[in-house]
Amino acid sequence: MHIRVLGSAAGGGYPQWNCNHPNSRRARAGEPAATQRTQSSIAVSADGVRWLLCNASPDLRQQINDNPVLQPVAAGPLRASPLAAVLLTNADVDHVTGLLTLRESQAFTLYATPRVLEVLAMNSIFNVLNPAFVARRPMPLDSPWQPVASDGALLGLTITAFAVPGKVALWLEDATRPVDIGALTQDTIALEIGGLEPGRRFFYIPACARMTPALAARLQGAALVFFDGTLWVDDEMIQAGVGLKTGQRMGHLSVAGAGGSMALLADLAIQRKVFIHINTTNPILLDDSPERAAVISAGWEVAYDGMQLVL
Ligand code: MLT
Ligand code: MN
């Protein structure tokens, strides 16, 4: 199984367009220790030819240009794409707006929970995905299924999608009601992905509001876990003076501290742990920060765009 990180930053990317935080300034200046990152997405392939896109980032066009395996092959038809299917783990802007890049009557299968499909259906701009070519399919939760290309051919992957503590997409929040954070609904989904045969599998969890005993049990002994690395500490955006929200309010468990993901995943015997969906304020973005050194010495890696893993 081939895994490629297309985008490792959280919503907004790194640097974010309006961010003047020192992290963003260093990235914008092209400092080698502050590598720019596009918004959250990975691609997975069993055969290295047909790919499943997990989340469609607003930066998808750039990500395809940066990753030749996602481009039409030279000997192929005049309109073609190795992207055979797209799967959404939530309806956040950083995960769905790349669908608009995938217009132009190209066939692929689109998978999401019924809840996220309903939200797409309510937004007629997504009708740019011609239904004659793009089949929208509800994905089951908690039981394994096999994604197919638009012609029905198996992609050679088995997926178990399951809800993790989260919340509705930011743009779906209702200002007149308290937001239910940490709810186990169809709004925030994690993926366990393996090949067709039982064997090595990995987890992709770009958003998670808290650890639960059930989630810890699932992750126990995994070969590879991509986990929500949005913030270093919960009040980081407040401390930095760039926002009013905590990580908790945004539906993201922070990395550091006794209640953070580094500590909570430490004893789960996971072979490879990678932070992804990293916010522009998070010091682990910087190769030369003490926080980066701390995550590395705790056995974690920090995802970067173009990172390739084989499982
Ligand atoms: C998040 O992960 O918290 C969202 O991407 C927020 C947003 O939509 O900007
Ligand atoms: Mn996000």
Side-chain angles (χ1 to χ4, degrees):
M1 197 162 38
H2 306 266
I3 306 159
R4 205 171 265 240
V5 174
L6 305 184
S8 47
Y14 176 53
Q16 180 176 299
W17 72 282
N18 63 343
C19 183
N20 215 8
H21 183 280
N23 284 7
S24 286
R25 297 193 66 81
R26 291 185 63 184
R28 212 171 271 125
E31 282 192 35
T35 311
Q36 298 198 2
R37 285 166 163 85
T38 62
Q39 294 166 76
S40 180
S41 174
I42 65 167
V44 187
S45 176
D47 58 10
V49 176
R50 294 167 310 158
W51 291 79
L52 168 72
L53 183 70
C54 299
N55 290 320
S57 152
D59 301 317
L60 181 55
R61 181 177 175 279
Q62 179 186 336
Q63 293 167 346
I64 292 171
N65 286 341
D66 290 346
N67 289 277
V69 292
L70 301 182
Q71 299 167 8
V73 294
L78 288 174
R79 289 285 168 95
S81 172
L83 286 178
V86 179
L87 189 164
L88 308 173
T89 63
N90 64 23
D92 269 326
V93 168
D94 55 347
H95 289 164
V96 302
T97 46
L99 292 175
L100 303 179
T101 298
L102 298 177
R103 63 197 187 280
E104 319 294 3
S105 296
Q106 184 66 43
F108 63 90
T109 318
L110 175 59
Y111 294 101
T113 61
R115 161 79 183 142
V116 169
L117 288 179
E118 180 191 322
V119 164
L120 296 182
M122 277 162 33
N123 281 268
S124 54
I125 194 167
F126 291 108
N127 293 345
V128 295
L129 298 179
N130 183 343
F133 295 90
V134 180
R136 302 184 187 192
R137 297 203 181 187
M139 63 177 174
L141 295 184
D142 301 314
S143 59
W145 54 279
Q146 291 161 354
V148 296
S150 61
D151 61 1
L154 289 173
L155 295 185
L157 299 170
T158 300
I159 297 179
T160 304
F162 56 97
V164 288
K167 67 171 188 65
V168 293
L170 178 59
W171 59 277
L172 291 169
E173 288 184 9
D174 177 349
T176 65
R177 292 161 186 239
V179 180
D180 187 1
I181 294 162
L184 279 167
T185 61
Q186 292 183 9
D187 288 298
T188 307
I189 299 305
L191 303 175
E192 179 182 352
I193 305 180
L196 288 186
E197 307 298 329
R200 286 167 80 77
R201 60 207 162 82
F202 76 97
F203 290 84
Y204 174 56
I205 312 178
C208 182
R210 61 187 162 81
M211 184 54 62
T212 64
L215 179 56
R218 280 187 191 264
L219 299 182
Q220 180 77 40
L224 169 65
V225 174
F226 289 96
F227 199 80
D228 184 341
T230 309
L231 298 181
W232 174 249
V233 287
D234 195 47
D235 63 351
E236 173 177 310
M237 295 183 63
I238 301 167
Q239 275 187 45
V242 300
L244 300 174
K245 284 187 187 166
T246 60
Q248 273 304 295
R249 175 62 187 79
M250 297 190 297
H252 298 292
L253 175 66
S254 299
V255 169
S261 49
M262 258 197 307
L264 294 172
L265 275 70
D267 298 328
L268 300 181
I270 300 165
Q271 290 164 42
R272 203 165 170 189
K273 296 178 278 193
V274 184
F275 282 121
I276 199 163
H277 190 281
I278 306 160
N279 194 59
T280 188
T281 49
N282 190 331
I284 69 170
L285 285 168
L286 303 169
D287 297 356
D288 54 7
S289 68
E291 293 86 354
R292 167 69 72 86
V295 298
I296 300 297
S297 70
W300 284 81
E301 297 169 68
V302 175
Y304 53 89
D305 294 14
M307 185 180 193
Q308 295 182 38
L309 303 91
V310 177
L311 202 62

